[in-house]
Amino acid sequence: MLKQPYSKKTLARQLIISLDYPQLNKLRSFLNQQQLPILKTTYTEQVTITTAVPIAQVSTFQARVTESLTGQAHYQLGAKCYLTSPPQP
């Protein structure tokens, strides 16, 4: 019988980040480097991106994004959810 690969689930918090358009690529790059998903993107006067961050890392994540974007982002906490990491070979 073959073993089924499994994925690790991590409790996370959705984080809704609002920022100006010129900061968008920098945030996308940062999320990609951190291997965090973009769950939703809304384009209005500003861009709003919803991501999910492990609960234990929310404060650190916000501080790093604020530093990276020179304080030009606003945050709103969303619902709890789970991040799924791929199975290890």
Side-chain angles (χ1 to χ4, degrees):
M1 181 184 301
L2 295 174
K3 290 185 180 179
Q4 294 293 324
Y6 67 96
S7 299
K8 180 181 175 186
K9 291 186 178 183
T10 303
L11 186 59
R13 173 75 74 174
Q14 289 184 1
L15 192 60
I16 302 143
I17 306 166
S18 299
L19 62 153
D20 292 328
Y21 282 87
Q23 303 293 333
L24 179 58
N25 286 336
K26 190 179 279 191
L27 178 61
R28 283 184 174 161
S29 176
F30 182 81
L31 293 173
N32 187 44
Q33 290 171 357
Q34 301 301 311
Q35 299 180 346
L36 295 173
I38 294 176
L39 304 174
K40 181 179 177 183
T41 304
T42 305
Y43 301 94
T44 57
E45 295 84 30
Q46 288 193 311
V47 182
T48 302
I49 289 184
T50 303
T51 188
V53 179
I55 285 185
Q57 299 173 10
V58 169
S59 295
T60 303
F61 174 83
Q62 283 180 283
R64 291 183 66 200
V65 169
T66 298
E67 180 181 326
S68 176
L69 299 178
T70 60
Q72 298 179 14
H74 302 279
Y75 307 94
Q76 179 181 347
L77 291 177
K80 290 182 181 176
C81 61
Y82 285 94
L83 287 174
T84 305
S85 50
Q88 299 297 317

